[in-house]
């Protein structure tokens, strides 16, 4: 009996010691990120000199796990059309997970809806989206059984400020706040996501409403992505008129053959259209790219594109582009894409500047 008691006591001390050691390790930290560095030429056919341009992006995320319920994340970002963009704070939040179906976040949050998934030129929701480009807030998000609700003050480019001058010095404060609601309904491999987003500048003629539906359907090797997006400004006023955006993106894959396409059309008010910035890049475009695997890590795509290049349907700035894109993915997490595109101006508004152009580019992306 004495030996048993001594053994039990020793085991208990070891268990307490193990718990103390585990606690002393502190939070678990995981680092992840993505880097992209690109180089492009100007028009090789028509420029007097061979010109070049760059784009660089660096995203770095630190995920901190305190225990099974509490975690946090902080993000750094550098992005610009240069070789040396400055890295800046891009947000942080804390998260409480009651279960897989009930999560609460508080801090710096980002919402976007109806992104372009197939067309490589507009696939960054920070800039472009058929539904809603990224809105950044500092506030709270609740995820419950497919529902997503967010509420907070605008931050970064999503904020709006009022400025006053006192004693020769200008001071500015933010005034925008943002509410977001979405529901993701899963039906087997299919998902339907209705959403609504309201942003107020706290002025009668300055508010925004985004609403619509994002649908992803999958039938074996066939996929279909569709978005309807309503964009409205100055609610309660006659002008500007709302924009209705429609996006369809079919895709098909079998063996080493893949084909994907995007078709987009935006109905805009002719008399007083909304200024969408970069969110809606043009009122109509169409893109299709069949591709074939040449080897295990090498794929050749042949993109064909039609662009209106304007938000005003009265402008005649249409163009057609065709070329080749070569994708090289030797390992998971690394992809190098080289391309050559011939651009043919079609619209009458080009005047004498309607020469056929040639552009080259090389894009490298790796994630960790």
């Amino acid at each position: 009996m004495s030996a048993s008691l001594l053994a039990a006591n020793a085991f208990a001390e070891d268990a307490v010691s193990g718990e103390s050691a585990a606690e002393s390790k502190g939070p678990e930290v995981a680092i992840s990120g993505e880097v992209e560095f690109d180089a492009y030429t100007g028009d090789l056919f028509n420029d007097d000199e061979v010109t070049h341009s760059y784009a660089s992006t660096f995203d770095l995320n630190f995920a901190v796990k305190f225990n099974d319920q509490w975690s946090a994340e902080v993000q750094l970002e550098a992005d610009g059309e240069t070789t040396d963009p400055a890295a800046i704070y891009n947000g942080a939040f804390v998260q409480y997970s009651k279960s897989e179906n009930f999560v609460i976040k508080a801090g710096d949050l980002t919402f976007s809806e109806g992104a372009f998934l197939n067309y490589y030129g507009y696939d960054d929701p920070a800039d472009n989206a058929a539904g809603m480009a990224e809105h950044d807030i500092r506030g709270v998000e609740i995820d419950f059984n497919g529902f997503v609700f967010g509420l907070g003050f605008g931050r970064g480019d999503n904020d709006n400020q009022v400025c006053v001058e006192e004693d020769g010095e200008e001071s500015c404060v933010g005034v925008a706040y943002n509410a977001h609601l979405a529901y993701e309904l899963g039906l087997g491999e299919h998902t339907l996501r209705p959403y609504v987003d309201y942003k107020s500048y706290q002025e009668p003629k300055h508010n925004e409403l985004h609403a619509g539906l994002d649908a992803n359907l999958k039938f074996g090797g066939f996929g279909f992505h569709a978005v309807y997006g309503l964009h409205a400004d100055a609610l309660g006023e006659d002008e500007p008129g709302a924009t209705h955006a429609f996006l369809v993106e079919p895709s098909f894959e079998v063996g080493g053959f893949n084909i994907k396409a995007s078709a987009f059309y935006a109905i805009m008010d002719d008399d007083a259209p909304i200024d969408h910035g970069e969110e809606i890049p043009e009122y109509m475009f169409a893109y299709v790219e069949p591709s074939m695997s040449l080897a295990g890590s090498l794929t050749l795509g042949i993109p064909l594109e039609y662009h209106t290049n304007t938000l005003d349907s009265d402008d005649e700035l249409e163009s057609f582009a065709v070329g080749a894109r070569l994708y090289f993915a030797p390992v998971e997490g690394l992809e190098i894409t080289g391309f050559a595109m011939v651009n043919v101006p079609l619209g009458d508004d080009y005047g004498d500047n309607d020469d056929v152009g040639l552009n080259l580019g090389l894009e490298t992306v790796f994630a960790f």
Side-chain angles (χ1 to χ4, degrees), residues 133-363:
E134 288 184 354
H135 279 194
D136 297 325
I137 71 167
R138 177 164 288 184
V140 64
E141 175 186 337
I142 300 174
D143 301 342
F144 180 71
N145 283 336
F147 284 96
V148 177
F149 173 71
L151 179 64
F153 297 111
R155 65 181 179 93
D157 293 338
N158 190 43
D159 204 2
N160 299 86
Q161 297 184 329
V162 293
C163 300
V164 296
E165 185 174 334
E166 296 181 358
D167 300 328
E169 294 185 0
E170 186 180 57
S171 61
C172 300
V173 293
V175 295
Y177 65 85
N178 210 137
H180 191 86
L181 178 64
Y183 176 66
E184 187 154 315
L185 174 64
L187 302 170
E189 294 188 274
H190 315 304
T191 60
L192 300 175
R193 184 181 174 94
Y195 64 89
V196 60
D197 185 280
Y198 174 76
K199 175 186 174 183
S200 173
Y201 302 2
Q202 301 189 64
E203 293 183 14
K205 295 184 179 181
H206 290 84
N207 44 31
E208 298 178 19
L209 176 68
H210 298 266
L213 176 67
D214 188 330
N216 272 291
L217 310 177
K218 188 170 180 60
F219 307 92
F222 176 75
F224 186 77
H225 176 230
V227 177
Y228 164 69
L230 167 69
H231 307 257
D233 282 6
L235 301 179
E237 301 293 327
D238 294 334
E239 297 180 349
T243 295
H244 302 271
F246 302 88
L247 172 68
V248 291
E249 296 189 306
S251 61
F252 178 72
E253 182 175 5
V254 57
F257 176 76
N258 180 291
I259 185 169
K260 58 183 180 180
S262 295
F264 175 77
Y265 189 80
I267 302 174
M268 307 182 71
D269 188 285
D270 292 333
D271 297 326
I274 296 172
D275 181 6
H276 292 278
E278 291 184 280
E279 183 173 51
I280 294 180
E282 52 186 323
Y283 77 87
M284 182 172 66
F285 79 89
Y287 155 84
V288 61
E289 182 178 346
S291 61
M292 176 68 70
S293 177
L294 303 179
S297 58
L298 198 63
T299 301
L300 176 64
I302 306 296
L304 298 95
E305 307 174 19
Y306 171 81
H307 295 276
T308 55
N309 299 308
T310 179
L311 294 175
D312 189 345
S313 59
D314 292 331
D315 293 339
E316 297 184 4
L317 295 169
E318 299 88 350
S319 64
F320 175 75
V322 62
R325 292 175 61 85
L326 193 63
Y327 304 91
F328 180 53
V331 294
E332 184 177 356
L334 171 62
E335 184 173 284
I336 302 171
T337 304
F339 65 85
M341 295 294 295
V342 175
N343 300 287
V344 183
L346 301 177
D348 293 337
D349 289 347
Y350 285 102
D352 295 333
N353 300 317
D354 59 352
D355 296 330
V356 174
L358 172 65
N359 301 89
L360 308 178
L362 185 66
E363 301 173 341

